[in-house]
Structure formats: C-alpha cells, structure tokens
Amino acid sequence: MGWQPQQPRKKSKAPLIAILTIVGIAVVGGTIIGLVRKATTDVTTPPVTPSRYTPEPTTPSESPTEEPTGSPTEEPTTTEPTTTEPTTTEPTTTETSSTPNKASDAVVVGKNALYKVGQMRTVNCKEPKARPTNASGAAAYWAAIKPCLDRSWAPLVAKAGYKFTAPRMTYWSGSSMSTPCGDGPVAVPFYCSGNHMMYMKVDVFVKAYTQYPGDPIGQAYARMWYSRSIAHEYGHSVQFMTGILQASSNLRYEQPDYEGRTRMTRRMELQANCFAGVFLAANKRSYPINGNLLYVWKKYVVTAGDKPEEGDHGSVASQARFMGKSFNTANPASCNTFSASPANVS
C-alpha cells in the first residue's frame, strides 16, 4: 500500500522546517512540497490480508498472456468503480496450505526465482499525455501506464516459473472502500489480493496535481509520485503472483511481537517500492524521467520514508537502499528485502 503525500502549502517568508510523521518539509520555488507520510486514516492493510492463491508454475510451452487495453471506460465514482479487464482468467483459490511439497515460506520470500530473472527490458513506455486535473484525467493517466506494467512484468514472472495473470484495476474516490480484503477508511491507492485488483484513488492524485496551478515543480512531483504509486501497487500484484505476498503474510503472523510483525510488513512494502523502481528504471529514457521529473524523484520521492524502526514502509535509508538502487539496476535482484538484515530494513 502506498503513502499519502502531504498537501503543499504556500509560504512567503523564510523557510520553515516542520517535522512530520516521517519526513520534513522543504521550500522549492516558493511552494512547500510536502514530501510524504503514511496516512493516519489507513486502518486497514488490504495488500496482505488473504492467502487464498497458490502461485501456478508455467509449463515450458506457456508464454506470457496477451497485452490488455488500459483505457478507462467511464468517469470514476464513489459507488460503482470502473475496472480494466484482466488478460487471463481469475486466479485459482486453492489454499496455499493444501499444496503438496510446498516450499517453506522463508524460501519463497528469500530465494524466489524472481530474483534471478535478470534485468527488466524496456517496453518504451511514455508518460501519459493526460493530466490529472479531474477524476477522469487521473484515471486516464493510470490507465495508460498499466499496459506498460503488464508488458514489463509478464516475461519476468513467466521466466521465474510462475503464471502471469495481469491484475485488474479500478478507480475510486472517497473516504472508505469495501473490498474482499476488508472494509473501512483508506486514504491512498492500494492492492487487494482477494480479487487481484488495484484500487487507484483518483481524488488524491487530482488534489496533489491541482493544489498550485502553474507550479511546474509541484505538478511534476504529483506526476512522479503517482507514477511510482501505480508501479508500487503493481509490485504487490507481482508479489502475489510469485507467492511472496502470501508467504510474507504467513511469516508476519508467526512473529512473536509487534516489532517483528512490523518489520515483516516493512520488508514487503520496501520490496513493492523496489519493484516500482525496477519498472521506472527500465523505462526512464522513453518516459522520459528527466528534467523536473528526475529532479523531484531524487529530491522528494526516493528520499521519503518513515523514522527508522517506527513505521511499516521503511526509513529514508532503506528506501535508498532498495528503491534507489533498483532505479539504477532495473533488476529484481536488487529487491530481496527478505534476506536483508534487520538494520537494513529499518
């Protein structure tokens, strides 16, 4: 699950550094860009709730599924979310525990074949021309990126020996959502493994982009943050397809204390961010991530994090260690957060 950016505030006098939950505030071009903090209303954790899907190995004759279309079909609403169609049938619901000769959860997360598939190849994804000035624009922006994510991850998941099933995506706005993974307030986009669905919250994107019209840094920040956001939620779907999500959930519940459970969640979230970095790295020339987009990535996005050992998404140092590195390597091998020492997933 992603974080919610702090909304920028205008400031006309000397810069004031205010310590937030996980990051400070920096003055840029007269606009204070709020870096990020975990949403205080995020009381549910949909990405890790169910463990109802057993990853399905491919046979040598199988190939990645066909490319989906990603155009939004109608205006997002608070009651009837729109969805993109899946490229294959729904995942099976075979219980993981019933699978014979199942690898141990520690092996699944720490020695997954996904870490050995090599560098992700570019699919020459370009930043969408749509701008999130309203809900339909935000949905169109994300809808244009999703086919790139499908094409990018399908060959790597298949090469790792798993069946690729593109996640579905819905757009919504409001203060709460009901899903197979739980009900309740949520302030950010999230992924639910119960129906293999990404729930992309359009209103937060619109608010971040339109807060200060005409501010190129603020708008670039919103676009870069929410490009990372969809890539992050897609990263959770990759964890699901490869069994990492289910295994890490099992391991989390086996932890004897709160600190251990939080650290396991942190490993999962850091990896999803790292997978986002893999995708963005592979396509940063075609996107392109340069100019203002590269500036805000380096200054604000990759430097956002929790206070060490206090949150469940990872400290600034841990974000740099994984997402920062994968943005240079474009290789899932950079994302084995589950074999890292506790100090490296602070």
Side-chain angles (χ1 to χ4, degrees), residues 3-17:
W3 294 308
Q4 173 179 286
Q6 277 282 81
Q7 295 303 318
R9 293 181 299 165
K10 287 286 188 180
K11 178 84 174 170
S12 59
K13 297 182 179 180
L16 170 66
I17 303 302

Side-chain angles (χ1 to χ4, degrees), residues 219-241:
Q219 292 180 346
Y221 168 73
R223 285 152 46 206
M224 194 70 257
W225 181 264
Y226 285 103
S227 292
R228 182 217 59 91
S229 182
I230 186 173
H232 171 97
E233 302 311 333
Y234 204 101
H236 283 310
S237 82
V238 171
Q239 290 174 323
F240 178 59
M241 286 183 276

Side-chain angles (χ1 to χ4, degrees), residues 224-275:
M224 194 70 257
W225 181 264
Y226 285 103
S227 292
R228 182 217 59 91
S229 182
I230 186 173
H232 171 97
E233 302 311 333
Y234 204 101
H236 283 310
S237 82
V238 171
Q239 290 174 323
F240 178 59
M241 286 183 276
T242 56
I244 294 172
L245 193 63
Q246 304 88 304
S248 65
S249 179
N250 293 339
L251 291 170
R252 185 179 74 253
Y253 285 112
E254 291 172 4
Q255 298 302 307
D257 51 30
Y258 173 81
E259 288 74 17
R261 290 190 292 273
T262 302
R263 185 175 297 113
M264 187 57 64
T265 301
R266 193 181 300 137
R267 292 180 189 275
M268 179 196 66
E269 294 292 350
L270 281 168
Q271 184 175 79
N273 253 6
C274 188
F275 285 165

